[in-house]
């Protein structure tokens, strides 16, 4: 495993006024009251509001939190207590955190992190930081279900690589974040844990499949979160919850464990956060090659810890929009995303409408074949058992049944088509530095609706076609960052995809940071429930 030396660094912490203990330091700043960090809603503990000190802690960006912990301005125990209080207060409404671990054990781990600091031992950027892992990733010793009743008692014997690296960087795992069953679909509900609700409107979906992660971030139950993305599963919930999320280039974040490590190249794990800096710092923990992941990329993760400021003058951006009408969009989506282009122009970028020289209808057929081939074969062992088949979701059964109709010639033809798409993307990014497109084709919809069946007046063929706009970049393996772009008249969030050429993850983060500095959507418009 490649250790990330950059995990030992952080931004300079805020100065602690002389003579104040930690709790007084937090209360004295008054930031919580000034910035509206005190949340709403009833508490499981009976409190109507979070304390000012707790709200201050949970309102910090992850990088600020990391700096304060390292400077010992706040103890790891105080941080854990603040986040547990926030979860007690908010999670009954949002339902983002599942498998919450024993409190005494969590406090004991936080105390040990304090003891390590007292001995001069700092494990890394996540030292003492509460973290909940997406429920598709293995976490040793914590029930990991992927939202399926078939896994309701499964306790992984090992950590996934990203979990292993988070622990090594000092994170304390307090639980998991909710997902759709088998992470199929972009609406986070399952028969084990129920529905995750949007902190901006509790009747609306958070998207998925990293819906619990995005909702926990937006409602300040986590400082930073991991996600994974096959068909928009980091990007879509990030857009629906007004946070940032990066689907890294293929291979940047090693994926393991898995029974199959070569054919499956679409599902990629990555970072999510309330700031671009937080996303970059978590990526520095996650990224770098590992011998257990043969397709992982050998790179220096410390590059993601550097300052992200960059002059964007003269940068060429292609506005893809709805790809000349191929992607149906609900009213308002295109307008709000197109309005963001003025920000990029103000940054000195050259923005023009353009699309790759490829038929998007061919991309859709390619996706249907390769997705069913991969997911259908993963799930076929359950489908083959009549008892277990009864416990599969309709989406899972659909994928398996479709996979059973595929011929080897169809799968090979789809891979040939994907190769042609790769060449088209390479030619496209020879002309443009970045591309921009909407992250979703609809605004957050009522969570009781499994998925939209009509988008922009056009009927959807499948449970996931309403997210078709993200699929070209899944198939290309390029880095894609969701950046918040504003709200519709109902106060529902939307985002744009900032897309770069393959292996240009740092450049995508730099562009997102430049955009963030000009807009500040997350900071200016926090979630209602937090």
């Amino acid at each position: 495993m490649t250790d990330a030396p950059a995990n030992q660094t952080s931004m300079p912490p805020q100065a602690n006024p002389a003579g104040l203990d930690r709790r007084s330091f937090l209360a004295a700043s008054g930031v919580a009251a000034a910035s509206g960090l005190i949340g709403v809603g009833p508490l499981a503990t009976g409190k109507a509001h979070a304390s000012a000190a707790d709200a201050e802690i949970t309102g910090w960006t992850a990088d600020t939190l990391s700096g304060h912990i390292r400077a010992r301005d706040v103890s790891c125990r105080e941080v854990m207590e603040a986040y547990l209080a926030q979860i007690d207060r908010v999670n009954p409404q949002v339902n983002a955190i599942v498998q919450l671990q024993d409190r005494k054990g969590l406090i004991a781990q936080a105390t040990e992190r304090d003891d390590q600091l007292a001995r001069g031992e700092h494990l890394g950027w996540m030292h003492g930081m509460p973290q909940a892992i997406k429920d598709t990733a293995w976490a040793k010793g914590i029930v990991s279900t992927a939202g399926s009743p078939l896994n309701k008692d499964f306790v992984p014997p090992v950590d996934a690589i990203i979990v292993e690296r988070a622990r090594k960087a000092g994170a304390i795992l307090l639980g998991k974040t909710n997902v759709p069953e088998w992470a199929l679909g972009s609406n986070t509900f399952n028969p084990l844990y129920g529905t995750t609700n949007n902190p901006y409107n509790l009747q609306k979906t958070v998207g998925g499949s990293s819906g619990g992660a995005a909702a926990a971030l937006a409602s300040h139950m986590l400082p930073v979160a991991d996600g994974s993305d096959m068909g928009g599963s980091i990007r879509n919930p990030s857009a629906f919850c007004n946070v940032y999320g990066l689907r890294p280039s293929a291979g940047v974040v090693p994926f393991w464990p898995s029974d199959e490590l070569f054919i499956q190249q679409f599902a990629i794990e990555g970072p999510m956060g309330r700031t671009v800096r937080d996303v970059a710092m978590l990526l520095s923990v996650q990224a770098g090659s590992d011998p257990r992941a043969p397709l992982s990329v050998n790179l220096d993760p410390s590059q993601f810890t550097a300052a992200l400021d960059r002059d964007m003058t003269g940068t060429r951006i292609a506005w893809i929009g709805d790809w000349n009408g191929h992607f149906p969009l609900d009213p308002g989506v295109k307008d709000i995303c197109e309005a963001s282009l003025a920000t990029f122009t103000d940054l000195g970028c050259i923005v023009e409408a353009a699309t790759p020289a490829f038929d998007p209808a061919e991309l859709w057929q390619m996706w249907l074949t390769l997705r069913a081939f991969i997911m259908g074969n993963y799930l076929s062992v359950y489908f083959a058992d009549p008892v277990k088949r009864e416990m599969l979701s309709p989406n899972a059964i659909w994928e398996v049944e479709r996979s059973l109709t595929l011929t080897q010639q169809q799968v090979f033809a789809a891979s040939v088509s994907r190769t042609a798409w790769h060449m088209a993307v390479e030619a496209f990014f020879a002309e443009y530095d970045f591309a921009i497109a909407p992250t979703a084709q609809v605004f957050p919809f009522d969570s009781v609706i499994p998925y939209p069946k009509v988008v922009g007046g056009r009927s959807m063929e499948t449970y996931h076609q309403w997210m078709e706009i993200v699929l070209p970049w899944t198939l290309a393996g390029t880095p894609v960052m969701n950046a918040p772009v504003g709200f519709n008249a109902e106060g529902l969030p939307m985002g744009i995809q900032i897309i770069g050429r393959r292996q240009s993850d740092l450049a995508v983060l730099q562009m997102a940071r430049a955009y963030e500095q000009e807009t500040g959507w997350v900071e200016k418009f926090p979630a209602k429930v937090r």
Side-chain angles (χ1 to χ4, degrees):
M1 185 181 75
T2 301
D3 191 18
N7 296 347
Q8 305 299 317
T9 67
S10 65
M11 295 286 281
Q14 178 180 330
N16 186 340
L20 296 181
D21 61 20
R22 295 187 188 103
R23 280 287 170 178
S24 298
F25 164 65
L26 294 171
S29 67
V31 175
S35 61
L37 292 175
I38 294 177
V40 298
L43 271 164
T45 58
K47 295 181 184 177
H49 300 286
S51 72
D54 286 348
E56 169 97 8
I57 291 171
T58 59
W60 282 333
T61 71
D63 198 48
T64 298
L65 174 65
S66 178
H68 282 313
I69 288 174
R70 186 168 192 176
R72 300 177 70 184
D73 293 326
V74 63
S75 72
C76 299
R77 177 171 181 146
E78 287 169 323
V79 170
M80 180 59 70
E81 288 173 341
Y83 272 97
L84 290 176
Q86 181 75 351
I87 291 168
D88 280 348
R89 191 174 60 83
V90 173
N91 203 51
Q93 302 171 79
V94 177
N95 192 36
I97 304 290
V98 299
Q99 284 297 323
L100 185 65
Q101 298 298 286
D102 174 69
R103 289 170 179 270
K104 290 183 179 179
L106 293 173
I107 295 299
Q109 291 181 66
T111 301
E112 171 57 23
R113 290 289 185 268
D114 286 326
D115 292 343
Q116 289 169 328
L117 288 175
R119 296 192 298 266
E121 302 169 11
H122 182 256
L123 298 182
W125 182 74
M126 302 187 81
H127 190 107
M129 193 178 291
Q131 177 79 332
I133 303 298
K134 183 176 177 179
D135 200 27
T136 51
W138 284 18
K140 183 178 180 179
I142 302 177
V143 172
S144 301
T145 72
S148 171
L150 291 164
N151 297 326
K152 66 182 178 65
D153 299 316
F154 174 63
V155 180
V158 297
D159 283 330
I161 291 174
I162 62 165
V163 179
E164 181 181 271
R165 290 181 174 181
R167 289 194 205 257
K168 188 172 183 179
I172 301 173
L173 305 191
L174 57 76
K176 305 297 290 288
T177 56
N178 203 21
V179 298
E181 190 172 353
W182 294 110
L184 296 174
S186 288
N187 186 0
T188 298
F189 65 92
N190 63 65
L192 289 178
Y193 303 123
T195 300
T196 299
N197 303 312
N198 196 312
Y200 283 87
N201 183 323
L202 293 174
Q203 281 67 54
K204 302 297 182 180
T205 181
V206 293
S209 62
S210 307
L217 276 173
S219 57
H220 295 189
M221 289 189 284
L222 290 177
V224 75
D226 68 282
S228 60
D229 186 313
M230 188 178 195
S233 291
I234 288 175
R235 291 165 282 171
N236 164 253
S238 295
F240 280 9
C241 292
N242 193 45
V243 297
Y244 290 90
L246 175 70
R247 176 191 159 92
S249 296
V252 166
V253 175
F255 180 76
W256 181 88
S258 175
D259 292 336
E260 195 286 310
L261 293 169
F262 291 96
I263 295 174
Q264 197 298 103
Q265 300 175 32
F266 293 155
I268 292 176
E269 292 169 318
M272 303 165 69
R274 293 194 295 271
T275 70
V276 177
R277 172 71 178 176
D278 288 352
V279 171
M281 290 301 296
L282 183 55
L283 183 61
S284 77
V285 174
Q286 298 174 333
S289 65
D290 188 287
R292 294 166 292 183
L295 301 182
S296 58
V297 175
N298 189 16
L299 54 77
D300 180 3
S302 68
Q303 65 182 285
F304 303 119
T305 69
L308 297 173
D309 298 330
R310 172 182 158 188
D311 184 3
M312 293 298 170
T313 303
T315 301
R316 294 182 59 82
I317 296 177
W319 164 241
I320 292 176
D322 60 7
W323 203 315
N324 301 321
H326 175 78
F327 300 119
L329 303 175
D330 268 1
V333 171
K334 186 175 181 180
D335 292 342
I336 197 171
C337 294
E338 205 161 33
S340 73
L341 300 180
T343 299
F344 295 96
T345 301
D346 291 343
L347 289 169
C349 301
I350 302 167
V351 182
E352 60 187 45
T355 57
F358 202 88
D359 183 359
E362 186 176 344
L363 292 172
W364 174 240
Q365 294 304 317
M366 186 195 315
W367 163 260
L368 289 176
T369 298
L370 295 176
R371 160 89 163 198
F373 175 67
I374 294 167
M375 293 307 303
N377 279 284
Y378 268 115
L379 296 167
S380 61
V381 63
Y382 304 107
F383 186 85
D385 183 327
V387 175
K388 293 179 178 177
R389 186 188 308 172
E390 289 296 318
M391 300 173 73
L392 287 174
S393 68
N395 294 347
I397 291 172
W398 186 89
E399 295 287 1
V400 176
E401 290 179 340
R402 184 173 179 85
S403 74
L404 295 173
T405 70
L406 296 174
T407 66
Q408 58 185 356
Q409 290 83 6
Q410 286 175 311
V411 175
F412 183 75
S415 188
V416 169
S417 181
R418 187 184 177 207
T419 301
W421 168 234
H422 167 74
M423 300 310 296
V425 170
E426 288 293 300
F428 187 64
F429 282 119
E431 187 173 353
Y432 297 99
D433 300 298
F434 301 94
I436 293 176
T439 300
Q441 295 168 237
V442 301
F443 288 98
F445 50 89
D446 290 349
S447 59
V448 295
I449 301 171
Y451 62 89
K453 296 185 177 180
V454 177
V455 177
R458 198 179 307 173
S459 296
M460 298 290 98
E461 300 172 4
T462 70
Y463 74 91
H464 49 21
Q465 192 177 21
W466 66 275
M467 285 301 301
E468 186 183 359
I469 202 164
V470 303
L471 301 181
W473 317 111
T474 291
L475 293 162
T478 55
V480 192
M481 179 77 139
N482 173 74
V485 78
F487 301 80
N488 68 2
E490 297 178 59
L492 300 175
M494 180 49 59
I496 51 171
Q497 299 177 85
I498 300 176
I499 307 149
R501 59 174 56 90
R502 201 174 176 110
Q503 306 305 323
S504 69
D505 300 66
L506 179 59
V508 168
L509 288 164
Q510 291 169 334
M511 176 58 80
R513 173 56 180 154
Y515 171 83
E516 176 188 39
Q517 288 178 300
E518 294 295 316
T519 55
W521 287 112
V522 180
E523 181 182 6
K524 294 175 183 176
F525 300 96
K528 294 179 179 178
V529 180
R530 70 190 191 285

